[in-house]
Amino acid sequence: MEIPGLKRVVKASASHFLILLIVLLILSNLFMLIYFSIENARLREAIETEQKLYEEAIQLREQEWNRYEDLYSKLLKALEVNKELNTTLRSIPGSVVIPYNYTSVLKRG
Amino acid sequence: MKTVVLILVIALLVTSNLYTFIYFNGLNGYLKFTLQQMAMRRNQVLGEYNILNKYVYTLNESYIDITEANERLREVYRSLQENLSSITYNYTLMNYFDFMGKFTFAYTDEMRDFVINVTEGWNGTDEDFQSDLYKIYKAWRGIFKYVTPTLGEQQVSQSSEKFLFINIGAFNYGRTYVYSLEEHNWIALDYLREVHSYEIRPIDVSGAPNSFRNKQGVCWDFAVVLVALYYAYYDVSGKSLPTAYISIRIIRGFQESHGVVFVKLEGDKVAILDWDVVTPVKNGMLEFIPFEEAKKLHEEYWGHSISYKGFMKGRPYEARRFYSDEEFYEWLVNELK
């Protein structure tokens, strides 16, 4: 037994349901697009910032490296000077001041 | 028909949704991974920076320490130079031991003239050479006056001369550690940190030149001058014999030190010149006899047993102590040149 008009009602409801589903799917797609676009833009920005910080860190390391090399060469020079002073001062103690008129005499000893 | 179209649209939208999710989620994951990697790289670089910073800090501390030390040392050197520049005569500096080695047996023009006058030169014969050695001894013995040291004084030269002497009390060294990026290790660096208590003061120096000038003193003065006069003669004649100042010990109840001169001909043949010539003198010539006989005569001369305790000689200066008669004999035969 068939209820008159029922088939038409069911058919209309199904159409509405499908249209509603389509709308939901479009909204969901849009939401995903917006969410991920924003999120990825934020990440790109964070990467850019991180890149800048990384470059700054590299620069800092370079500067520190140059400072190290500069100081190390200065230290080696200072050590060289210290060595020369040590040699000079070491040669003095226990030295006798010899008047020049004695130098020829000393060659005969 | 309409329903079929709607289902197709839904299928397309579901596919699109899935695609969007997979694509954007993948991109999102990639970006997150990239960010994480970059943060790690930055942290690594910052870690390296911090380590370098620590090395630089210690390096800087070491550098400051050494430059400050250098400044202190320069100040000491400047001060010494200022003191030296106040010396009015021309001078040169010489290590004390080098100086004493040369000065002890040096001869002056006056001493050389003395030798030439006494010997009238060498005629080229061995006889004249040995005769000249005796003449030099005799002439020097004739004008030398022995001065007895006063009570408490040692038998050391009385004919000293004043020379300025530079002394630095102490050298203090420091050690600092720096990190070597080449060696990848901490290395220790030693440096002169400071010197203490430096001074320039007069000291007494004894040697043949001033002992000869004074013509008096103790056995040391007599023997040292005799060696120097022989050196002068060797230079004038162009011929030489091994000659040395020998320190002896006379054992007579108490032990007494004394200085004599040994001249060696060859092997163990020697002439010993004490206050007198101990070994034989024939026809005005020094005679060289074997050491054993010479020692016997030397002991008879003093009336006591003798041990030879050390030597000094010039050209180049050498000195040594002997701890046994065998050691002395070994040196006499093989090393005295």
Side-chain angles (χ1 to χ4, degrees):
Chain A
M1 195 178 91
E2 201 175 269
I3 300 166
L6 181 65
K7 201 176 177 181
R8 210 175 56 206
V9 169
V10 168
K11 209 175 173 180
S13 296
S15 290
H16 284 135
F17 173 73
L18 288 173
I19 287 164
L20 187 68
L21 196 60
I22 286 167
V23 169
L24 279 172
L25 282 168
I26 288 169
L27 283 174
S28 144
N29 218 348
L30 278 172
F31 173 77
M32 263 199 295
L33 268 171
I34 292 163
Y35 170 77
F36 278 114
S37 293
I38 291 169
E39 178 63 11
N40 288 351
R42 188 189 65 80
L43 283 171
R44 281 200 179 91
E45 207 173 306
I47 286 169
E48 257 176 52
T49 311
E50 194 58 43
Q51 180 68 24
K52 276 179 194 160
L53 289 172
Y54 174 70
E55 279 164 11
E56 276 173 22
I58 292 246
Q59 215 173 347
L60 270 175
R61 191 186 60 180
E62 285 294 311
Q63 281 170 2
E64 209 59 9
W65 178 270
N66 291 339
R67 247 184 95 196
Y68 172 89
E69 287 202 318
D70 185 44
L71 263 174
Y72 198 79
S73 67
K74 275 183 179 171
L75 179 90
L76 291 181
K77 274 181 198 160
L79 267 177
E80 197 57 40
V81 170
N82 187 272
K83 208 173 156 189
E84 282 166 20
L85 282 163
N86 182 29
T87 311
T88 309
L89 289 167
R90 273 269 169 211
S91 70
I92 291 172
S95 287
V96 182
V97 179
I98 316 285
Y100 265 139
N101 54 343
Y102 272 89
T103 48
S104 60
V105 172
L106 291 175
K107 282 177 191 159
R108 299 166 178 169
Chain B
M1 181 66 189
K2 188 183 170 189
T3 307
V4 173
V5 170
L6 285 173
I7 286 167
L8 263 173
V9 170
I10 286 166
L12 275 171
L13 279 168
V14 167
T15 310
S16 158
N17 252 2
L18 277 171
Y19 174 78
T20 307
F21 178 77
I22 290 165
Y23 173 75
F24 278 102
N25 196 42
L27 186 62
N28 187 263
Y30 169 75
L31 290 172
K32 275 180 180 162
F33 176 76
T34 306
L35 185 63
Q36 204 179 15
Q37 288 293 309
M38 289 188 75
M40 275 168 67
R41 274 165 60 194
R42 180 167 67 93
N43 284 337
Q44 192 187 338
V45 171
L46 282 173
E48 286 169 9
Y49 163 80
N50 285 332
I51 291 167
L52 261 175
N53 186 261
K54 190 176 131 195
Y55 297 159
V56 166
Y57 177 78
T58 52
L59 201 57
N60 195 41
E61 293 279 298
S62 301
Y63 175 67
I64 289 168
D65 285 350
I66 294 169
T67 46
E68 281 176 358
N70 286 353
E71 207 40 59
R72 283 194 297 272
L73 297 175
R74 274 197 201 97
E75 189 50 46
V76 169
Y77 185 65
R78 252 196 303 273
S79 174
L80 265 171
Q81 289 295 320
E82 269 174 30
N83 289 338
L84 286 171
S85 66
S86 65
I87 295 171
T88 50
Y89 49 83
N90 288 334
Y91 65 88
T92 182
L93 296 181
M94 193 183 277
N95 174 274
Y96 175 78
F97 294 105
D98 290 345
F99 168 71
M100 286 312 296
K102 288 175 189 294
F103 188 69
T104 306
F105 298 110
Y107 64 86
T108 57
D109 291 346
E110 191 193 350
M111 291 164 81
R112 190 185 51 201
D113 293 344
F114 174 83
V115 163
I116 292 168
N117 285 337
V118 166
T119 62
E120 293 169 344
W122 180 44
N123 71 7
T125 64
D126 288 348
E127 289 77 16
D128 191 46
F129 192 81
Q130 286 167 233
S131 164
D132 284 347
L133 293 182
Y134 181 63
K135 280 180 194 164
I136 292 164
Y137 155 77
K138 214 174 148 190
W140 172 230
R141 184 72 187 91
I143 56 169
F144 182 80
K145 188 184 161 196
Y146 177 72
V147 178
T148 314
T150 51
L151 195 66
E153 279 182 6
Q154 288 181 318
Q155 290 259 358
V156 291
S157 174
Q158 312 287 303
S159 307
S160 57
E161 201 170 326
K162 297 260 185 234
F163 278 83
L164 288 176
F165 179 72
I166 307 168
N167 189 40
I168 293 181
F171 286 76
N172 286 342
Y173 287 86
R175 175 171 280 187
T176 187
Y177 292 89
V178 294
Y179 190 85
S180 165
L181 290 174
E182 280 177 13
E183 295 178 29
H184 299 289
N185 211 348
W186 288 92
I187 52 170
L189 301 172
D190 293 320
Y191 65 100
L192 177 59
R193 199 171 57 217
E194 57 194 343
V195 293
H196 281 308
S197 58
Y198 64 90
E199 58 176 358
I200 300 179
R201 62 182 166 87
I203 54 159
D204 291 321
V205 169
S206 303
N210 36 23
S211 293
F212 182 78
R213 201 178 306 130
N214 290 336
K215 294 177 179 53
Q216 61 176 32
V218 293
C219 57
W220 189 92
D221 299 277
F222 179 75
V224 159
V225 171
L226 187 56
V227 171
L229 290 173
Y230 280 166
Y231 285 166
Y233 178 66
Y234 299 155
D235 285 348
V236 168
S237 65
K239 175 183 164 76
S240 67
L241 287 177
T243 305
Y245 169 99
I246 306 291
S247 164
I248 71 168
R249 188 162 288 167
I250 306 159
I251 304 147
R252 49 178 169 189
F254 61 95
Q255 292 188 342
E256 190 184 338
S257 291
H258 180 54
V260 301
V261 175
F262 266 51
V263 182
K264 187 175 92 168
L265 182 66
E266 58 187 8
D268 72 343
K269 284 191 170 176
V270 292
I272 301 176
L273 299 103
D274 204 306
W275 291 118
D276 298 293
V277 182
V278 172
T279 43
V281 176
K282 267 189 190 165
N283 303 324
M285 292 185 291
L286 283 189
E287 278 226 341
F288 297 91
I289 59 171
F291 171 69
E292 202 179 333
E293 283 176 48
K295 189 186 177 193
K296 207 174 153 192
L297 290 172
H298 206 180
E299 286 178 330
E300 278 172 18
Y301 175 75
W302 281 104
H304 297 279
S305 59
I306 282 170
S307 61
Y308 299 97
K309 301 306 292 179
F311 87 95
M312 271 199 308
K313 65 181 278 296
R315 312 172 156 207
Y317 179 79
E318 287 174 45
R320 185 172 133 195
R321 283 178 68 85
F322 301 113
Y323 296 94
S324 67
D325 289 347
E326 292 73 27
E327 197 186 338
F328 173 76
Y329 186 75
E330 177 73 19
W331 168 81
L332 180 73
V333 174
N334 298 318
E335 293 177 46
L336 177 59
K337 282 172 183 138

